Amino acid sequence: MIRAAVFTLFLGMNGLGFSAHGAADNIVEELANAQLPDPPLEPPPSTAIATARTARLQKALRCPVCQGLSVADSPSTAARAMGDRIAELVQSGYTEAQITEYFVDRYGAWVELEPPTEDHGALFYSPVIALALGIIFIVGTHRRRQKGEAEAEADEAQPNEPANDDLHPWRARILAELERR
Amino acid sequence: MTPELGRAAVLIALAACSIGAVTGIWAGITARVDAARWTRWMAGLFAFAMVAAVGLMEFALITHDYSVKYVAEVGSNETPLAFTIVSLWSSLDGSILLWALILAIWAGVFAWRLRDNHPEHAPFALGTILAVGVFFTFLVSGIANPFDRIPEPLSNGPGPNPLLQNHILMIIHPPTLYLGYVGMTVPFSMGCAALMNGSMPTGWARTMRRWMLVPWTCLTVGIILGGWWSYEVLGWGGYWAWDPVENASFMPWLTATAFIHSSMMMERKEHLKGWTISLVMASFLLTLLGTFMTRSGVFNSVHSFTQSPIGPVFLGFLALCLVFCVLLLAARVDTLSPPISKLEGPWSRDFAFLGNNLLFAAFTFTVLLGTVYPLLNEVMTDVQISVGEPYFNRMSVPICMGILFLMGVGPALPWGRAEPGEVMRQLSMPTIVSVVIAAGCVAMGLREPIAILTFALSGFAGMVTLKELTEPGRQRAAKLGEPLPKALLNTWRTGHRRAGGYVVHLGVVFIAVAIAASSVYRSETEMTIREGKAKSFLGYDITYTGTERVDEPHRWSRVAHFQVSKDGEHIGDASPRLNHYKKMGQAIGTPTVISRLDEDLYLSLVQVDTEGKMASLSVVVEPLVWWLWFGGGVMLLGSVISGWPAARRKEEEDAA
Amino acid sequence: MNWRVLSIGAVVTLPLVALLASGFGRDPKLRSNALEGRQAPAFSLKTLSGEPFSLASVKGKPVVLNFWSTWCQPCKIEHPVLMGAAESYGPAGVQFVAVLYQDEPAKAQAFLNRSGAHWPTLADPGGRTAIAYGVAGVPETFFIDKDGRIVRKVSGPVSQAIMVTTLEQML
């Protein structure tokens, strides 16, 4: 039922619609390409490279009509159209950066499913910092306690270990655990 | 009559909660037995009134009584009966009603189970549960009242959301998830009770753990069923998308899992009391936060036109609870008695538990940050950005690896101090196994480090877990001369809490392998097939045999039929479909999954031309998906073994 | 009172509540007005009846470019506003153009025959033009001035008031 929210999202998906893989009209293609900021930087890539690039871009760009799904994952017609467009642009030799820029220019920064690391350091590094602080805290507390205990133990003699010396430590541990339950 | 009767039942529930909240806290402070009894009666009344209210709502839904507002919103004469019944949770007002019902049931069961135990703590806890109940019954009786009377009712309604009517899992997934989600209130209240009373005796800590185990299990199963539902219904071949809705259910699960582990430290060593209570508080607060995020319209990016009036009220309640928790914790945490024994050094299970808690806390923080970051960024810079799957995958993979590693190492470490050399000896066998697995993967041609590392760590953790499960039995067999199977069963019965926990770990191992395999080695393509012809993908031959139209009262569908064979052998028929619902323009697909032990073939229909001569399919092949659902089952089994009440009673008798 | 717990708790919770509170009143719908103020992407498409139409051919005129589909309810709400505006501003030299988004031309033609709208409605094979304009849902309307610059973009149905004020500015 929390998912009810998700249902509504998919109302706008899976459209009937026409085929998104219709034959490309050459004139249209040229005109649409004329809108790109820069000419392709590279000659058309080989098939293997093009496939990998297309897959990466389709995974990294967001389907504009879905909630948080990438172009690759979304079954909606809009995402299919966008996926085909990405494949075309890759074929004509645009770099990944150029294609990303093409879509960001038109849709806005949100079309990238992951914001650029350099502008959003807090997002990427604060979990790491939090983890590091946690480790420092635990280790620090442990050190402090140990120090305090070492001083206390100087007076007393025995640590409170169970005296299962005759048993193999492994067995001793399990037996002790079973007893404690 | 139904609108008025329903309203009356909800108002009775509101009154019962209000009275019970006051008497509960009062009984806790004054230790008066009669006030405690009153509180229990109020909890019973709350449960009874909510069952009556939901019964009335179901009655109205089934009889299509469109004078009830909620029925007018989600009911329709064409909807099949089963989906009419479950449309109770297909919309906002109904889901809050369900929330109140489940809370009432938890309160009633809690009051009954603890009627003779823990007189110092139970009234505080029940009072707190009922105080939470005040808020939800207030919502149901006020701004989210589903029983409003429609003065001039129509004779039919729009029906529930089509995606709700698409799959049988929608009938069991939401209540399971809610049972866990709402159930977080109980351990939360018990943690508050410990603070209010100023003590956390071992008995109360044990009881608290038990009351966490049940909602935790429900939440686990609910999350996995949710993934299964996405997989079976949404048509993209995935089960998890790091959607805010999914994160909302995942965050409390993370903190609850951390609690289950830290509470063992608390029970055994009386350590980490404040921290453990913070974890139950966080679990509860995160359920509120999650509900707020998914319901208020602040986070939903599509279809946010319906801004709910509940949003601000919910945020107010969330803020109130946050302030209450912080103040209560700060004021009372020092009254809890200090630890009786000291924590051991790095080569001990103590440290593995600390590491586990640290990783789970960091995981929760990461998911929370990623979920709220787009809002944060927009408030700060007015630029909209997305934080989606790539971010969460990048951040969570190392954390999950760490958790998997600790899951392997932790159980092999003793509670007490251990010599590093001894630990190394314990871990030598699992290490060899994991190295062999990694080498085997490379030999089989796998090159992806994430997958290989996951498989190796899973092998390591699985090995240690199996050893921990069988070692006590072998020890017993050797010591008492029992046959090994009997000895194993005996140790599992007496140590069922421990054994169940390790079975849960085994389930996690299955799930880890499934996630790594299915996401790293997923392949997909799209194909258009002419009628009578076949196309192949990765050894699968898919033959299109035609499309038929199926008419039902609430929808019509185009069902395309395919025959699938692998390596020349027929493995099944697939009938993915596109469903057209009345009163909705767009078609919603239902994919077909052909599940096999090694991999799933996932077919969803993209489009069929008007004559049915050409069908376009999206085809996904994902290895080991089946392990995911199986692992979920193993986790459920482990939880049941761990928390089985009959064995527990016997165990208490044995102890007495 | 444990002041350390209190201060940590306050540091963790207060900003979160403040953030969520500031989320109210914001429209979480994704906006894509990145093109506002920029040159309108050129396109050359065919109308539903097969005649060619390009943006370049109407250069020098203000253009109202509307993306729509028959399966979208808000588009139907918006339709009368477009009809009225075309009637009053068409003679003043404003060019109205519609682009069909993810829909079947036959359905759209049937709808237009019923409503009687007579501005050119273009088929957009492969959704290229919609992508070039960053369309993230329908209806979306672009107001393009005489120099071919996008002065305003409206997501969702255009109200009468916005239609009139924007067109008055552009003329």
Side-chain angles (χ1 to χ4, degrees), chain A residues 62 73 80 110 113-114 171, chain B residues 236 386 388 394 475 526 587:
Chain A
R62 174 172 179 168
D73 285 339
R80 276 158 206 287
W110 55 257
L113 260 179
E114 185 179 42
R171 292 181 59 190
Chain B
W236 58 280
S386 307
R394 181 199 303 269
Q475 298 279 345
E526 219 172 274

Side-chain angles (χ1 to χ4, degrees), chain B residues 191-386:
Chain B
C192 291
L195 288 174
M196 290 173 186
N197 181 262
S199 72
M200 175 68 93
T202 316
W204 188 242
R206 275 175 95 107
T207 316
M208 203 167 144
R209 202 178 111 80
R210 206 175 294 162
W211 280 92
M212 176 57 108
L213 209 55
V214 183
W216 178 85
T217 308
C218 296
L219 194 56
T220 309
V221 173
I223 289 172
I224 290 172
L225 286 178
W228 201 357
W229 175 83
S230 309
Y231 184 70
E232 296 281 344
V233 168
L234 294 185
W236 58 280
Y239 38 80
W240 190 261
W242 295 103
D243 182 278
V245 180
E246 290 164 332
N247 295 349
S249 61
F250 190 48
M251 287 188 286
W253 185 87
L254 287 173
T255 49
T257 311
F259 164 84
I260 287 177
H261 291 93
S262 81
S263 71
M264 279 187 252
M265 292 271 282
M266 183 169 77
E267 246 180 85
R268 197 172 290 267
K269 300 210 157 188
E270 303 226 346
H271 259 290
L272 302 179
K273 284 178 184 161
W275 170 248
T276 306
I277 293 174
S278 311
L279 284 175
V280 275
M281 287 178 159
S283 304
F284 170 71
L285 293 168
L286 284 168
T287 62
L288 292 183
L289 180 71
T291 310
F292 172 77
M293 288 197 308
T294 51
R295 291 303 194 171
S296 64
V298 173
F299 282 83
N300 277 350
S301 48
V302 187
H303 285 261
S304 54
F305 303 111
T306 52
Q307 284 252 342
S308 155
I310 296 175
V313 180
F314 218 101
L315 183 60
F317 181 62
L318 175 62
L320 187 73
C321 290
L322 278 168
V323 170
F324 169 79
C325 286
V326 170
L327 284 180
L328 181 66
L329 201 60
R332 303 288 291 174
V333 71
D334 293 333
T335 61
L336 301 174
S337 58
I340 45 167
S341 59
K342 63 188 164 87
L343 283 184
E344 297 297 343
W347 293 105
S348 68
R349 200 182 288 191
D350 307 15
F351 245 65
F353 271 85
L354 288 180
N356 153 304
N357 266 248
L358 189 61
L359 284 177
F360 273 99
F363 205 169
T364 315
F365 174 69
T366 309
V367 177
L368 183 62
L369 180 70
T371 314
V372 300
Y373 192 80
L375 178 65
L376 179 68
N377 191 69
E378 202 187 333
V379 167
M380 296 294 198
T381 64
D382 214 33
V383 175
Q384 287 184 314
I385 58 162
S386 307

Side-chain angles (χ1 to χ4, degrees), chain B residues 600-652:
Chain B
D600 277 14
L601 177 70
Y602 190 98
L603 302 173
S604 36
L605 193 58
V606 175
Q607 173 192 12
V608 183
D609 69 349
T610 11
E611 291 94 48
K613 295 282 173 242
M614 305 279 280
S616 297
L617 266 182
S618 138
V619 183
V620 186
V621 174
E622 276 177 272
L624 302 186
V625 179
W626 181 83
W627 283 37
L628 195 56
W629 324 132
F630 178 74
V634 174
M635 284 178 83
L636 172 63
L637 176 74
S639 314
V640 171
I641 294 174
S642 188
W644 193 253
R648 193 168 62 224
R649 217 168 291 132
K650 187 172 176 296
E651 178 192 333
E652 274 159 16

Side-chain angles (χ1 to χ4, degrees), chain A residues 1-3 7 11-12 14-15 21 62 73 80 110 113-115 120 123-124 126 149 170-171 173 177, chain B residues 89 95 98 174 178 236 295 342 349 373 386 388 391 394 414 426 468 471 475 498 526 586-587 589:
Chain A
M1 114 178 345
I2 315 196
R3 291 203 169 256
F7 311 150
L11 294 190
N14 268 354
H21 353 269
R62 174 172 179 168
D73 285 339
R80 276 158 206 287
W110 55 257
L113 260 179
E114 185 179 42
H120 298 276
L123 178 63
F124 291 89
S126 49
E149 273 160 13
W170 172 258
R171 292 181 59 190
R173 172 165 79 69
E177 256 179 44
Chain B
W89 50 80
S95 63
L98 180 68
Y178 254 46
W236 58 280
R295 291 303 194 171
K342 63 188 164 87
R349 200 182 288 191
Y373 192 80
S386 307
Y391 169 79
R394 181 199 303 269
Q426 296 296 343
E468 291 293 318
E471 191 65 26
Q475 298 279 345
R498 178 178 188 276
E526 219 172 274
Q586 296 207 287

Side-chain angles (χ1 to χ4, degrees), chain C residues 64-90:
Chain C
V64 175
L65 177 63
N66 176 250
F67 289 85
W68 73 291
S69 72
T70 56
W71 46 258
C72 124
Q73 285 306 318
C75 301
K76 289 178 182 160
I77 295 168
E78 186 187 41
H79 198 70
V81 177
L82 286 171
M83 294 278 287
E87 201 142 306
S88 19
Y89 287 93

